[in-house]
Amino acid sequence: MSILQEANRVAAEFEYGPESLNKGVKEFIREMDEGLQKQGATMSQIPTYVTAVPNGTEKGLYLAVDLGGTNFRVCSIQLHGNTTFSLTQSKVAIPRELMVAKTSKQLFSFLAKQIEIFLKTHHNDHFEAHIRRRKTMSSSDGYRDEHIFRLGFTFSFPVNQIGINRGTLIRWTKGFDIDDAVGKDVCALLQEELDALHLPVKVAALVNDTVGTLMARSYTSPGKTGTLLGAIFGTGTNGAYVEKLDKITKMASMEGSTEYDKSTGQMIVNTEWGSFDNPLSVLPNTPYDNDLDKESVNPGIQMFEKRVSGMFLGEILRRAMLSLAKDPKIQLFRDENSSSNDIHSTTSIADDSALYKQWAIDTSFLSIVEGDQDSGLRITRQALEKDLSVHAASIEDAQAVKSIVAAVGKRAARLSAVAIGAIVISTGKLHSSSSTSITQEAKAGGQAARDHKGNHIAEVAKGSTKQNDTSIIDEAQSAGQAARDGKAGSAIEAAASNVSEDDVIDIGVDGSVVEYYPGFEDHIREALREIPEIGPKGEKRIRIGIAKDGSGVGAALIALVAGKVKPPTEPSQS
């Protein structure tokens, strides 16, 4: 067999056809239902206590902070009430000694201090006015509630969320290790340090960035039906969607707050779908997947994520290519002499090539190869030289690599369609046109209030961003922005197909894979059409649009929603 034939044989191992796809959808729905009914299921299906999503008319100034790794980000978001926002932010590195501090107080007092610095720098008038008011009050708590900044706290570590602003730390990851914080309410820890500094800030919401993605999309996307799903397809993958409250039966037996708005009859659920089908009952499996899992830091778990997310696609490709490169019968990246190479040189691999190093191939390499349409695959060969230290790769080498890359990427996209399709089917959105959702009435009212004219679908909502006092434009991208790089975006497709705004099923996505990997959405849509319950007609109703900054604007929007929910003991204000 030729090199290309051998590569096509390997590529065929990644095929994920319609039969497997539909088995995957059925199992995903089963695991969704199981996770709604009981704790400890394979798919966690975590209630978020967020029972409303924005419609784009919201106004106000909110804070958001994001502790997701080695940096701490502080943002203020001014919502303009017309689907646009302005964002000001600062970022600071977490000192290594605080990541392993003896007490949680040391870390959280540092975080509170950064919030104080941010307020003094960017909102000094508001801050000083608060200080003056507090000094004239008989009690330090005497200032009016509207003078308090409401803050959304994105805390990207495993927590047991028991209320919209309550969650106990399960364990640290990402190099953090502070024993006395485990089991404590992280919102309370931050609030205690904010209060110690007498800051006018209330931790209003504990935020998952995937939930934030859904919220950000719903605010910036014009439409009548509201956003159904927020999904991340980047370094990792996860989804959060709007579910009927009466289906989340496990809440009756869960420890947690009962102080949330039940009037909508719905709640956003964080699926944690990266763990879908950990037992591998329906997920595709290859020797390359097996070996990757065995040598990962968490063997046997996050099996869906290990086939879909950007963290793993490069490693899957590396192992597949290495299997060919190591086979003495296959001449991948090898020439007997220069006459067999179209550039009249001999191919060689450096001893320190990324091909020989675990996790050394980034998913951006796959994007480059996938997007190379040159007949001689010049860009692919340059990438092989630059990223893999493969010198003088032949045209057949490049074709072989491209064949495997295409197969790995296409499988990831089709698996992504399993998750999207299962949620669309499970929520019954295909069977309802103009169905009632937690935003439908608000959306309709919001559309009239905004007095938008023309084609809402192709509209672009823009927000301005300031970082380190330098103004840049942050495009709060709506569905129309999915049309880029010469491809028809999903919103344009919806318009061309004469899909009524009442019938659109809106999905917000974020992450480098879905945003930058060539053809990823096209493969998702092809797979959705192969699901009988959706088919070509249903696929046209699904609008997929980019939603940026779930941990920023999304967190602020959750803080806004949380601020509207009054405890049952308090009389509602007219």
Side-chain angles (χ1 to χ4, degrees), residues 1-24:
M1 268 200 257
S2 69
I3 297 172
L4 183 55
Q5 286 173 322
E6 291 285 0
N8 289 340
R9 175 185 58 79
V10 170
E13 297 182 59
F14 291 96
E15 287 182 5
Y16 188 60
E19 183 179 353
S20 298
L21 175 85
N22 282 287
K23 283 182 181 177

Side-chain angles (χ1 to χ4, degrees), residues 17 33 66 112 114 123-124 159 164 166 224 227 309-310 370 397 485 500 526 535 549 560:
D33 291 341
D66 182 4
Q114 302 313 307
H123 299 284
N124 192 56
V159 294
I164 199 161
R166 296 171 59 200
K224 295 181 181 178
T227 300
S309 76
E370 187 78 67
D397 289 329
D485 297 334
S500 164
E526 178 185 56
D549 202 9
L560 179 153

Side-chain angles (χ1 to χ4, degrees), residues 132-163:
R132 289 193 300 274
R133 276 193 304 274
R134 189 167 60 81
K135 286 179 178 178
T136 62
M137 296 289 179
S138 58
S139 163
S140 63
D141 296 323
Y143 48 85
R144 293 163 58 193
D145 185 62
E146 55 261 43
H147 297 309
I148 296 176
F149 280 100
R150 295 194 176 274
L151 178 144
F153 184 15
T154 301
F155 185 77
S156 300
F157 300 90
V159 294
N160 176 31
Q161 187 160 2
I162 53 177

Side-chain angles (χ1 to χ4, degrees), residues 259-569:
E259 297 179 358
Y260 59 89
D261 183 7
K262 302 178 182 67
S263 65
T264 65
Q266 295 178 305
M267 181 179 284
I268 296 175
V269 171
N270 169 21
T271 66
E272 292 293 341
W273 71 33
S275 63
F276 165 59
D277 193 29
N278 280 341
L280 297 181
S281 62
V282 296
L283 281 177
N285 206 20
T286 69
Y288 323 110
D289 296 306
N290 270 331
D291 291 344
L292 180 153
D293 178 56
K294 287 176 187 174
E295 296 179 32
S296 69
V297 297
N298 55 351
I301 62 175
Q302 297 296 100
M303 302 304 266
F304 182 72
E305 184 168 73
K306 286 172 181 171
R307 286 153 176 77
V308 170
S309 76
M311 179 177 285
F312 301 101
L313 298 184
E315 181 62 11
I316 294 170
L317 173 68
R318 185 189 74 84
R319 290 174 181 274
M321 289 193 301
L322 190 61
S323 70
L324 295 180
K326 280 187 170 181
D327 189 333
K329 301 190 296 293
I330 301 170
Q331 294 294 304
L332 183 67
F333 305 143
R334 287 198 300 271
D335 298 308
E336 291 181 5
N337 57 66
S338 61
S339 65
S340 61
N341 189 315
D342 64 306
I343 56 174
H344 306 296
S345 183
T346 53
T347 308
S348 61
I349 311 175
D351 292 339
D352 63 348
S353 169
L355 192 63
Y356 304 127
K357 299 174 185 175
Q358 189 179 18
W359 310 113
I361 297 180
D362 190 80
T363 300
S364 60
F365 175 81
L366 281 79
S367 296
I368 291 167
V369 173
E370 187 78 67
D372 186 4
Q373 302 302 317
D374 181 72
S375 60
L377 296 180
R378 177 179 53 85
I379 294 171
T380 297
R381 292 155 94 169
Q382 289 174 351
L384 284 166
E385 174 97 45
K386 177 176 176 286
D387 297 336
L388 272 65
S389 301
V390 175
H391 174 67
S394 69
I395 181 64
E396 198 172 17
D397 289 329
Q399 289 169 338
V401 170
K402 190 170 178 67
S403 174
I404 300 172
V405 163
V408 171
K410 183 176 182 179
R411 187 186 72 166
R414 290 177 67 83
L415 285 168
S416 302
V418 167
I420 293 171
I423 287 172
V424 168
I425 294 166
S426 176
T427 53
K429 291 297 179 185
L430 287 166
H431 302 299
S432 58
S433 92
S434 310
S435 60
T436 302
S437 75
I438 60 180
T439 58
Q440 178 154 345
E441 291 182 11
K443 278 282 185 185
Q447 291 300 111
R450 283 194 297 269
D451 191 29
H452 279 204
K453 296 179 180 179
N455 186 348
H456 292 300
I457 297 176
E459 190 174 291
V460 176
K462 292 185 179 179
S464 65
T465 308
K466 294 180 182 177
Q467 183 169 8
N468 299 328
D469 295 324
T470 302
S471 290
I472 57 176
I473 293 297
D474 172 55
E475 296 197 350
Q477 299 173 348
S478 69
Q481 288 173 285
R484 58 178 176 275
D485 297 334
K487 297 184 297 179
S490 53
I492 304 292
E493 290 175 10
S497 305
N498 297 317
V499 175
S500 164
E501 274 288 299
D502 293 325
D503 296 332
V504 165
I505 301 168
D506 192 72
I507 294 171
V509 295
D510 192 12
S512 55
V513 175
V514 71
E515 190 168 2
Y516 299 118
Y517 195 98
F520 200 81
E521 184 183 335
D522 295 337
H523 288 314
I524 288 175
R525 289 189 170 280
E526 178 185 56
L528 290 173
R529 290 192 291 271
E530 294 172 12
I531 301 170
E533 296 91 335
I534 297 176
K537 187 175 180 180
E539 178 267 321
K540 288 175 182 175
R541 289 176 58 188
I542 297 171
R543 179 170 66 191
I544 300 173
I546 299 296
K548 300 299 289 182
D549 202 9
S551 64
V553 66
L557 288 159
I558 295 173
L560 179 153
V561 168
K564 291 181 177 179
V565 178
K566 299 291 185 184
T569 54

